[in-house]
Amino acid sequence: MSGFIIGILLGFIMKRSRFCLAGNLRDAYLEKKSKGIYAFLSIILTTSLIYFTMTLLGIIPERPEQASFSLLAATIGGLMFGFGAILANGCVVSSLLKVGDGRLAGVMSLLSFAIVAAAATQGLLAPLVGSMQTTFVVNDQLFEVIPFPVLFVVIPAFLIVAYLIYKNWKKEKKAIQLPSQFSGIRHFLFEKKLDIRIAAIIIGLLAGSSFLFSYLTGRYGSMGITTPVVSWLNIFSQNVNELNWASFFVVGIIVGSFIYALGSLEFSFKGTDGKTLAKSTLGGAMMGFGAIAGQGCLVGNGIVGTAIFSLNAWINFAFILVGIWIGTYVFYVKPLQEIRIENKEENAYVN
């Protein structure tokens, strides 16, 4: 139940703040703003601060030794996941949120993600992924080579990012307030937008505490998306029960999104055009393959793995970011550049 409840809280907070993991990283390149990057770093550092404090106090044991990983798989997996997230207009967490508020595009991207991830784990694509993951293999010893307590790195980094967020926040102009539709607690919970920087701290608190709640069920880890999604697919397709803490966590995300959409009157069954559905389906499939090849997604590697100083996670996260920015250039920047060139040519012809 703790996984389910934390999932509900995460889904609700992300909907209320309009926090999109891939979207914030996309906008850092598209709009040349650091707000999304700082928010993402605050999630990682808050998670890391809680995790290493709990291991230091003996509340949970230190992480098991990290397995070796493939540089090739981490790189290609990251690029595919990042590019797929732009195609699907959000990572797989966004797909779960879209399912919760009734969007068909979210259903299609989640289904294609689950099917391809399952195929890459135990189906037709498994030999290809296995071959990739045995090429250019290196040890994941980033944590072991640090000669002093990791909190000596995490605490100063957290304070620096907190200062940069505060400095950035002070410079911002206040947004125009629209007339309220609700009042009282309903206005606060379902209408008043939560700033993404506050949401980031809450998400970090949820991710950090997830280490404890997950450990109490016999699972070592925190939030997870890819394997839990596949575990639900396996129940329906193979009648194999591999459900654990994170399996109920992903269901909670959908429920949290649904609760917010219902309370804010945003819930409705929304279809879309064929092009958007095709892009969502292809994007979900690319994310599914990339997440299995790179052994994680924007949550598993981008937040949890980086927080516990996994070298594989940091490398994979870096290439997810590159994939997101390549996709942003292809689908956002380049079309705008072409429109500007066409307008200049038309103006020159008229003159």
Side-chain angles (χ1 to χ4, degrees):
M1 287 305 296
S2 65
F4 183 60
I5 292 168
I6 288 176
I8 290 175
L9 293 172
L10 180 69
F12 188 91
I13 290 297
M14 293 187 77
K15 282 293 293 182
R16 188 182 164 203
S17 61
R18 302 296 192 267
F19 196 106
C20 174
L21 297 174
N24 279 301
L25 299 175
R26 174 201 64 203
D27 292 344
Y29 170 59
L30 189 62
E31 301 177 5
K32 303 296 186 288
K33 293 181 179 178
S34 55
K35 181 178 178 180
I37 295 290
Y38 291 154
F40 211 104
L41 285 174
S42 67
I43 296 175
I44 295 171
L45 291 169
T46 302
T47 305
S48 190
L49 186 61
I50 294 171
Y51 169 76
F52 284 110
T53 299
M54 287 196 296
T55 59
L56 183 66
L57 296 175
I59 297 172
I60 60 173
E62 289 188 1
R63 67 173 199 166
E65 185 176 342
Q66 296 293 291
S68 301
F69 70 98
S70 163
L71 286 173
L72 177 68
T75 301
I76 294 177
L79 290 172
M80 288 190 67
F81 187 94
F83 194 88
I86 295 299
L87 263 177
N89 196 28
C91 73
V92 65
V93 178
S94 294
S95 299
L96 292 165
L97 295 172
K98 290 173 186 176
V99 172
D101 64 24
R103 281 182 272 180
L104 181 59
V107 175
M108 294 305 296
S109 59
L110 183 62
L111 277 175
S112 62
F113 175 89
I115 291 168
V116 173
T121 306
Q122 61 214 21
L124 292 174
L125 297 174
L128 173 60
V129 172
S131 177
M132 290 172 59
Q133 290 179 340
T134 54
T135 306
F136 299 121
V137 175
V138 295
N139 292 326
D140 193 340
Q141 294 181 329
L142 177 62
F143 174 77
E144 285 79 5
V145 298
I146 299 176
F148 44 79
V150 179
L151 283 173
F152 288 178
V153 176
V154 174
I155 293 174
F158 180 85
L159 294 175
I160 290 169
V161 170
Y163 170 74
L164 292 172
I165 288 174
Y166 173 75
K167 190 176 178 182
N168 183 266
W169 205 334
K170 291 283 286 184
K171 290 180 180 178
E172 283 188 7
K173 296 179 180 178
K174 289 186 178 180
I176 298 172
Q177 296 293 324
L178 297 175
S180 299
Q181 185 179 3
F182 310 125
S183 61
I185 190 68
R186 190 173 186 185
H187 166 72
F188 177 76
L189 288 177
F190 297 101
E191 188 174 26
K192 186 177 181 181
K193 185 181 176 183
L194 183 67
D195 189 278
I196 66 166
R197 288 158 294 204
I198 296 175
I201 295 297
I202 297 173
I203 293 168
L205 291 171
L206 292 174
S209 62
S210 292
F211 278 103
L212 173 60
F213 290 111
S214 178
Y215 176 72
L216 292 175
T217 69
R219 172 184 175 269
Y220 195 94
S222 176
M223 297 176 173
I225 303 293
T226 306
T227 302
V229 168
V230 173
S231 72
W232 284 109
L233 182 68
N234 285 341
I235 277 208
F236 296 109
S237 63
Q238 300 182 21
N239 197 28
V240 175
N241 187 345
E242 299 171 331
L243 302 183
N244 58 28
W245 184 93
S247 302
F248 294 94
F249 165 74
V250 296
V251 175
I253 295 175
I254 297 174
V255 174
S257 174
F258 172 73
I259 292 171
Y260 181 87
L262 206 62
S264 61
L265 303 181
E266 292 180 9
F267 181 83
S268 65
F269 291 107
K270 308 176 191 74
T272 187
D273 60 279
K275 183 180 179 181
T276 301
L277 277 183
K279 287 174 67 177
S280 297
T281 304
L282 178 59
M286 290 184 70
M287 287 191 289
F289 184 86
I292 296 301
Q295 301 180 65
C297 62
L298 265 179
V299 171
N301 276 339
I303 294 175
V304 178
T306 54
I308 63 173
F309 281 58
S310 162
L311 181 60
N312 176 35
W314 275 106
I315 292 174
N316 181 249
F317 176 49
F319 281 98
I320 288 175
L321 184 61
V322 172
I324 287 173
W325 287 351
I326 291 173
T328 302
Y329 176 78
V330 172
F331 294 108
Y332 292 91
V333 177
K334 192 168 182 288
L336 286 173
Q337 290 175 343
E338 290 172 352
I339 290 170
R340 291 190 187 116
I341 291 170
E342 287 176 4
N343 289 338
K344 285 182 180 179
E345 289 175 350
E346 287 177 5
N347 291 335
Y349 178 75
V350 170
N351 293 333

